[in-house]
Amino acid sequence: MLAGVAARWAQASRRERRLVVFAAVVVGGAAGYAWLWQPMLADTARLARDLPRERAVLHAAQAQSADLAALAQAAAASRGALVPVVEQTLAEHGLRPAAGGLEEAEGRVRLALAAVRFDALVPLVATLGRRGVRVVEATLTQRVEPGQVRAELLLTR
């Protein structure tokens, strides 16, 4: 087949050869436009359209990364004795544990409040949470006085 094409090419006149080359260039240019240039233009338009959304996602990820780094730093700083943090928070809220109501064991603190107003207990737990102390277990027992409870909390970091 190649021999036949080569023989036909040798027999063609100079004008016919130029027309064949011109037609091949036109067909090659059209194919290049259809298969290369047009998809690149479509991709460029799509990327330009998606860029603002992708930037927003990037900024959100960067903000979350900064938040995670701050949390990790706070967690590393919050390691240490748990009892002093609990005692300081109780003092700030004007509360005192029941006799023997503050015990530390295995990295956890058991806090017992004999009589505390429920509406004073919620801010106490919130403040402890901001300081990296969380409630693992809580037992609240209603007392005879209205609004008063006996609170037993198991705290950890």
Side-chain angles (χ1 to χ4, degrees), residues 53-67:
R53 183 178 53 84
E54 297 298 333
R55 281 190 176 151
V57 169
L58 173 65
H59 290 303
Q62 288 173 336
Q64 290 174 351
S65 173
D67 290 345

Side-chain angles (χ1 to χ4, degrees), residues 82-83 86-87 89-90 93 95-98 100-105 107-118 120-129 133-141 149-157:
L82 191 56
V83 172
V86 174
E87 287 175 339
T89 307
L90 286 171
H93 286 270
L95 299 173
R96 285 186 296 166
L102 192 60
E103 303 170 352
E104 185 171 21
R108 294 181 172 191
V109 171
R110 185 165 296 280
L111 171 64
L113 300 168
V116 62
R117 291 192 50 83
F118 183 77
L121 186 62
V122 174
L124 171 72
V125 172
T127 303
L128 286 169
V133 179
R134 58 189 173 93
V135 177
V136 177
E137 184 179 307
T139 304
L140 303 177
T141 308
V149 294
R150 172 177 172 72
E152 297 176 13
L153 306 174
L154 184 60
L155 308 169
T156 189
R157 291 217 184 251

Side-chain angles (χ1 to χ4, degrees), residues 40-55:
M40 281 193 318
L41 288 177
D43 286 345
T44 303
R46 181 185 50 82
L47 290 173
R49 185 185 69 238
D50 292 347
L51 184 62
R53 183 178 53 84
E54 297 298 333
R55 281 190 176 151

